């Protein structure tokens, strides 16, 4: 992870910093979402408020169950430690709900306090959350690095004009190999 020229680092949470066992196929089935469609977009586009509320509740239950078992990924911890050693501002932007995110952060003692969830800003790949953090830090987006593990992370970084590192934390590669 090259931090040359980087003045702030934002991380994704699931699959980047912590394990996730979310079964997105099952989540889609549970709410009637086509398998090739984004779950959050599908829910947002629901017309019936009761169906939307039921779908959000179902997703919340999946996320809360997943949150109880999420553990630090070794590479995720290495990356956070490296950012902290370099005294750079650090944040998390996740598509997770606030409650599940808080459980994952507390259970793993993740030393990051600036956290934006899907309740705080539009979900990735929308760049709003990333841009909000850069503005809060009084940094230009191009001076920030967004680290994630999924295409939505890459798209969010590109949409924000930030550098991006896709880190597949389950590879067990030493941090210098990325």
């Amino acid at each position: 992870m090259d931090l040359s020229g980087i003045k702030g680092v934002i991380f994704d949470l699931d699959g980047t910093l912590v394990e996730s066992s979310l079964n997105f196929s099952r989540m889609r089935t549970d709410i009637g979402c086509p398998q090739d469609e984004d779950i959050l977009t599908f829910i947002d586009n629901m017309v019936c408020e009761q169906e939307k509320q039921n779908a959000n509740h179902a997703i919340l239950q999946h996320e809360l169950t997943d949150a109880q078992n999420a553990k630090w990924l070794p590479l995720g911890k290495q990356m956070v430690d490296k950012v902290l050693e370099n005294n750079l501002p650090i944040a998390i932007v996740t598509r997770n709900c606030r409650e599940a995110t808080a459980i994952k952060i507390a259970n793993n003692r993740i030393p990051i306090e600036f956290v934006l969830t899907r309740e705080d800003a539009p979900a990735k790949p929308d760049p709003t959350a990333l841009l909000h953090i850069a503005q809060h830090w009084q940094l230009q987006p191009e001076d920030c690095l967004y680290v994630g593990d999924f295409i939505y992370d890459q798209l969010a970084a590109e949409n924000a004009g930030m550098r991006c590192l896709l880190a597949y934390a389950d590879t067990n590669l030493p941090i210098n190999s990325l």
Side-chain angles (χ1 to χ4, degrees), residues 116-133:
L116 296 180
T117 68
R118 69 172 179 261
E119 288 102 342
D120 302 311
K124 299 173 288 182
D126 186 293
T128 301
L130 299 179
L131 292 170
H132 173 78
I133 291 170

Side-chain angles (χ1 to χ4, degrees), residues 39-105:
I39 295 170
L40 297 179
T41 301
F42 177 80
I43 293 172
D44 284 344
N45 291 331
M46 288 181 158
V47 176
C48 175
E49 284 303 314
Q50 185 61 47
E51 286 180 14
K52 187 181 284 194
Q53 187 176 5
N54 290 344
N56 277 318
H57 180 74
I59 299 307
L60 174 66
Q61 295 313 306
H62 281 277
E63 289 180 324
L64 292 176
T65 299
D66 178 63
Q68 296 302 323
N69 301 312
K71 301 288 183 237
W72 264 113
L73 288 164
L75 181 59
K77 184 155 183 17
Q78 285 180 340
M79 290 187 295
V80 168
D81 288 346
K82 183 170 183 176
V83 173
L84 293 173
E85 288 167 12
N86 283 272
N87 295 312
L88 297 173
I90 190 169
I92 293 173
V93 169
T94 179
R95 287 173 54 103
N96 255 312
C97 69
R98 188 178 295 124
E99 188 176 356
T101 298
I103 291 167
K104 290 176 182 187
I105 289 171

